[in-house]
Amino acid sequence: MAGHRFDVAWTFSLVALFFLRAHCFYLPGVAPEDFKKGDPLLVKVNKLTSTKTQLPYSYYSLPFCQPEHIVDSAENLGEVLRGDRIENSPYVFKMREPQMCNIVCRKILDKKAAKAFKEKINDEYRVNMILDNLPLVVPIRRPDQENAVVYQYGYHVGLRGQYAGSKEEKHFIHNHLTFTVKYHKDPLSGSARIVGFEVKPFSVKHEYEGEWNEKTRLTTCDPHAKRAVTSSESPQEVEEKKEIIFTYDVEFQESDIKWASRWDTYLLMADDQIHWFSIVNSLMIVLFLSGMVAMIMLRTLYRDISKYNQLETQEEAQEETGWKLVHGDVFRPPANSDLLCVYVGTGVQFFGMILVMMIFALLGFLSPSNRGGLMTAMLLLWVFMGLFAGYSSARLYKLFKGTEWKKITLKTAFMFPATVFAIFFVLNALIWGQKSSGAVPFGTMFALVLLWFGISVPLVFVGSYFGFKKPATEDPVKTNKIPRQIPEQAWYMNPAFSILIGGILPFGAVFIELFFILTSIWLHQFYYIFGFLFIVFVILIITCAEITVVLCYFQLCSEDYLWWWRSYLTSGSSAFYLFLYAAFYFFTKLEITKAVSGVLYFGYMLIISYSFFVLTGTIGFYACFWFTRLIYSSVKID
């Protein structure tokens, strides 16, 4: 009883946490930093990103101004896989000391540098920077709402345009940056914490008198004359042998936002109301459908079981029809039972990884401030969940009267990861060919293989050993030696048709949230609505289970006992709709023009769809497995 109260209390705590969206938690190691007036603030540069190519590049792949020594910041596994390359920059601020028209450097472009800048401007690349772990944003006012501001991450390298009266298109570079650092001041200590990092980029053709030297003063931007850059009326062209002078201003603004809430403005979604409405609408529809399905199933099953248990005479027994007739074949091992065991084990591994990751996310441990944290957590959880994969596949294998447990263990440990790794390796080779920073280095690739072979594979073996050692699960009814002939089925009970129909409802439960997830991945926006995601995950589990059970019941009623694979494929077919939706998203929302970028998109979406198939298929399989055991143990079998 005490344990039950503890479970209820723990569940209630989790629900409360997800509604609060974990605002009160901070990440270990991401503690606030206090700055006194005059303290140096070091700006770091991150990768260049583009939604048109999806290929990140390091900041210094373009001939920007460089510090004396380029120093890489320590990166975790997730950051490397995301293509993050965090390095120091020549921009140095001093806390609460405004600066005007600081000259960073002067560059004269050669042919190669001019071409590189033009290519990145054509592909709409954005420059990403970091200050005190906050990403740089460009505030843009929304015309449809007063005082509403949308933040775009990073500023464009440059832009294309035409001079008045000319039809020739030119490339212009953003060479002047007006930074705004927002801070929250502590009235007692006088120190301050950084709560915002914004920029307004300008393209300015700087001018000066005489020959260039270290003491040259610009006439277009002069701190002594209080002449600041406020527009791009005379922009800086990108052409060979053109001179570009890079400059910046720094303003400091005191803010009422506290350090604990500084990420709130970054995480606000532009379509927040639409998001809420869509999720609630989806939740209500799915819960209504689930309630209807559950009610029909319970009433129909109760009537069936009562009827079968009241059959007394031999004549009545001979006249019976429906799912009781196939009791001697329903637990007959399916074709390719080894493969089913492998997929079920892999699905359990996925389910465990996602469930634990959701709990961590709800507790606030996967905040965007911990860059790469989500990816790192997923990889490590996947590796350690190998224990449950081995256990599940071995238990099912023993139920099917299998004897070679080491063979099934090897298949579980290698089949799915090897397939994904092969696709990933080909995609990585394509990224490498484009000289992108998104290419995973050889050292990281070796670390991934080490995690796989050094931790995951041994854990799968340990799980399989204990799973196979346990006594086999007893079937509730005996299996006949000779298989029963399956009668001809109606057109709507055709396997392909019922499988495809079964995947629609689970996909319908997630497709709204899927839009926001795809937007965060491919349009480089933060995703941090894990409360919504948890609700959607629960809805997905319920719909996968219920639709599979309903279709399994109809299948058994039509005297077709081949339910093992059908139950897996019924809910797993939702992955087919996910991939179709990914294709629809590609052609309607993205502006990808390069063939390599298109291959990368569909390659990664293929991996995601395959993973979704394994997850949803396993949920449907276990629901049907539980259902068949329940109904056949509830009737009297002579």
Side-chain angles (χ1 to χ4, degrees):
M1 187 67 186
H4 176 70
R5 280 200 301 267
F6 175 76
D7 289 341
V8 171
W10 174 242
T11 308
F12 180 77
S13 302
L14 274 181
V15 172
L17 280 172
F18 110 73
F19 274 117
L20 289 170
R21 290 169 65 185
H23 282 312
C24 304
F25 288 86
Y26 305 116
L27 290 167
V30 189
E33 192 171 351
D34 295 312
F35 297 95
K36 301 281 186 185
K37 188 174 181 181
D39 284 353
L41 304 176
L42 303 178
V43 177
K44 295 180 180 180
V45 290
N46 200 348
K47 60 189 174 183
L48 306 172
T49 56
S50 166
T51 56
K52 288 187 75 173
T53 68
Q54 301 295 336
L55 293 166
Y57 287 89
S58 68
Y59 178 81
Y60 294 114
S61 64
L62 285 180
F64 285 117
C65 303
Q66 298 183 4
E68 287 185 20
H69 302 287
I70 297 174
V71 181
D72 288 335
S73 294
E75 291 157 356
N76 59 41
L77 185 61
E79 284 179 304
V80 175
L81 293 175
R82 277 164 33 110
D84 283 349
R85 296 294 181 268
I86 301 169
E87 297 156 316
N88 62 327
S89 78
Y91 299 97
V92 179
F93 309 160
K94 289 188 176 178
M95 188 64 178
R96 288 158 56 198
E97 291 185 7
Q99 299 175 38
M100 183 185 287
C101 206
N102 269 16
I103 297 172
V104 190
C105 73
R106 171 178 171 266
K107 293 264 184 183
I108 295 180
L109 301 183
D110 56 20
K111 188 176 181 180
K112 184 181 177 183
K115 185 185 175 188
F117 272 126
K118 284 180 179 179
E119 284 178 352
K120 295 295 183 286
I121 291 169
N122 284 335
D123 289 331
E124 298 178 11
Y125 269 85
R126 305 180 80 93
V127 178
N128 295 283
M129 296 184 178
I130 300 165
L131 176 64
D132 190 36
N133 209 36
L134 274 181
L136 181 69
V137 292
V138 178
I140 297 172
R141 295 205 173 275
R142 290 184 64 169
D144 55 336
Q145 295 179 23
E146 281 188 33
N147 301 321
V149 177
V150 177
Y151 291 104
Q152 291 186 346
Y153 300 102
Y155 66 91
H156 281 112
V157 172
L159 51 102
R160 290 181 297 176
Q162 299 161 339
Y163 289 114
S166 171
K167 291 185 179 179
E168 187 183 359
E169 192 172 59
K170 297 283 187 181
H171 294 79
F172 303 104
I173 188 170
H174 286 135
N175 60 321
H176 180 86
L177 304 174
T178 299
F179 294 105
T180 302
V181 178
K182 294 183 176 180
Y183 64 92
H184 182 77
K185 190 176 177 183
D186 185 347
L188 298 175
S189 65
S191 62
R193 294 174 178 177
I194 294 170
V195 295
F197 185 33
E198 300 176 2
V199 70
K200 286 182 183 176
F202 297 98
S203 180
V204 181
K205 186 177 181 180
H206 284 303
E207 295 175 358
Y208 54 90
E209 294 175 355
E211 292 292 319
W212 176 266
N213 59 58
E214 289 182 4
K215 295 181 180 178
T216 299
R217 283 169 58 174
L218 302 175
T219 56
T220 45
C221 176
D222 189 355
H224 301 283
K226 302 291 182 187
R227 188 181 295 118
V229 174
T230 55
S231 68
S232 300
E233 288 179 4
S234 179
Q236 175 63 58
E237 275 187 46
V238 177
E239 291 294 343
E240 186 184 353
K241 296 180 181 176
K242 287 272 186 184
E243 174 191 64
I244 301 178
I245 299 169
F246 290 91
T247 55
Y248 69 96
D249 302 335
V250 186
E251 301 170 357
F252 287 89
Q253 280 183 14
E254 190 167 356
S255 173
D256 294 331
I257 298 170
K258 293 184 179 179
W259 187 90
S261 306
R262 66 178 189 163
W263 274 91
D264 289 2
T265 50
Y266 287 78
L267 302 175
L268 280 175
M269 301 193 69
D271 301 319
D272 200 36
Q273 287 183 332
I274 296 170
H275 187 90
W276 268 103
F277 175 76
S278 300
I279 291 297
V280 171
N281 189 47
S282 175
L283 180 66
M284 295 304 293
I285 291 170
V286 173
L287 286 178
F288 175 73
L289 286 171
S290 300
M292 290 281 288
V293 164
M295 187 177 69
I296 292 165
M297 287 303 305
L298 286 171
R299 290 189 63 178
T300 310
L301 264 177
Y302 180 75
R303 191 180 66 243
D304 281 354
I305 291 167
S306 300
K307 185 181 75 174
Y308 289 142
N309 286 341
Q310 286 168 4
L311 291 174
E312 294 176 357
T313 66
Q314 189 67 26
E315 290 77 13
E316 286 175 315
Q318 286 173 354
E319 289 172 9
E320 70 184 55
T321 56
W323 53 267
K324 190 183 176 186
L325 277 177
V326 295
H327 66 82
D329 298 277
V330 76
F331 293 108
R332 187 182 303 283
N336 299 314
S337 57
D338 287 14
L339 189 63
L340 182 63
C341 296
V342 170
Y343 271 113
V344 167
T346 306
V348 169
Q349 191 173 4
F350 252 110
F351 186 83
M353 176 193 80
I354 291 173
L355 188 65
V356 176
M357 191 180 69
M358 289 279 188
I359 292 169
F360 277 131
L362 292 175
L363 294 172
F365 290 114
L366 298 179
S367 160
S369 60
N370 184 15
R371 276 178 307 277
L374 184 67
M375 188 79 76
T376 308
M378 284 177 69
L379 282 169
L380 293 177
L381 285 170
W382 166 264
V383 165
F384 287 111
M385 288 296 162
L387 188 73
F388 299 99
Y391 181 85
S392 305
S393 61
R395 292 290 292 145
L396 192 59
Y397 183 66
K398 193 164 186 179
L399 176 70
F400 293 149
K401 308 294 188 289
T403 54
E404 300 176 16
W405 71 274
K406 290 179 183 175
K407 184 179 76 172
I408 206 73
T409 305
L410 279 171
K411 286 182 179 179
T412 306
F414 287 101
M415 185 175 284
F416 179 84
T419 307
V420 171
F421 192 81
I423 299 170
F424 177 72
F425 189 82
V426 171
L427 296 178
N428 196 59
L430 288 174
I431 299 170
W432 198 279
Q434 297 294 312
K435 298 178 181 177
S436 165
S437 67
V440 177
F442 177 76
T444 307
M445 198 76 85
F446 180 74
L448 290 173
V449 173
L450 200 65
L451 281 172
W452 178 13
F453 282 85
I455 302 175
S456 182
V457 173
L459 283 176
V460 173
F461 266 90
V462 170
S464 285
Y465 173 76
F466 285 107
F468 200 78
K469 198 175 179 183
K470 287 193 73 174
T473 309
E474 290 294 326
D475 293 329
V477 288
K478 289 182 180 179
T479 301
N480 296 333
K481 289 183 180 179
I482 301 170
R484 179 187 176 88
Q485 189 174 357
I486 299 170
E488 191 176 339
Q489 300 293 301
W491 66 269
Y492 52 83
M493 289 309 295
N494 179 279
F497 181 77
S498 64
I499 285 168
L500 286 173
I501 288 295
I504 293 174
L505 194 59
F507 171 74
V510 300
F511 93 95
I512 294 171
E513 200 64 23
L514 184 65
F515 170 81
F516 292 98
I517 293 170
L518 290 180
T519 301
S520 70
I521 295 172
W522 300 108
L523 295 180
H524 305 149
Q525 295 180 12
F526 284 121
Y527 184 88
Y528 194 54
I529 313 182
F530 292 112
F532 284 129
L533 194 60
F534 185 73
I535 294 173
V536 170
F537 183 58
V538 171
I539 293 171
L540 179 67
I541 295 169
I542 294 168
T543 48
C544 283
E546 289 191 345
I547 198 68
T548 309
V549 164
V550 169
L551 291 177
C552 180
Y553 173 72
F554 291 152
Q555 181 187 348
L556 294 174
C557 284
S558 60
E559 299 174 30
D560 180 358
Y561 53 82
L562 303 176
W563 64 271
W564 296 95
W565 271 109
R566 183 93 72 95
S567 64
Y568 196 98
L569 296 172
T570 296
S571 53
S573 66
S574 55
F576 170 70
Y577 296 104
L578 189 151
F579 192 77
L580 286 181
Y581 182 77
F584 170 78
Y585 186 87
F586 178 85
F587 291 110
T588 58
K589 298 295 179 185
L590 300 180
E591 297 177 1
I592 290 175
T593 50
K594 287 191 175 182
V596 172
S597 304
V599 171
L600 288 176
Y601 175 85
F602 283 105
Y604 284 125
M605 288 312 301
L606 183 64
I607 292 174
I608 291 170
S609 300
Y610 185 32
S611 306
F612 193 70
F613 165 75
V614 172
L615 172 69
T616 52
T618 302
I619 294 168
F621 171 81
Y622 272 116
C624 205
F625 182 68
W626 166 82
F627 171 73
T628 50
R629 293 182 67 82
L630 181 71
I631 64 171
Y632 283 101
S633 61
S634 301
V635 294
K636 299 171 186 173
I637 305 293
D638 296 327

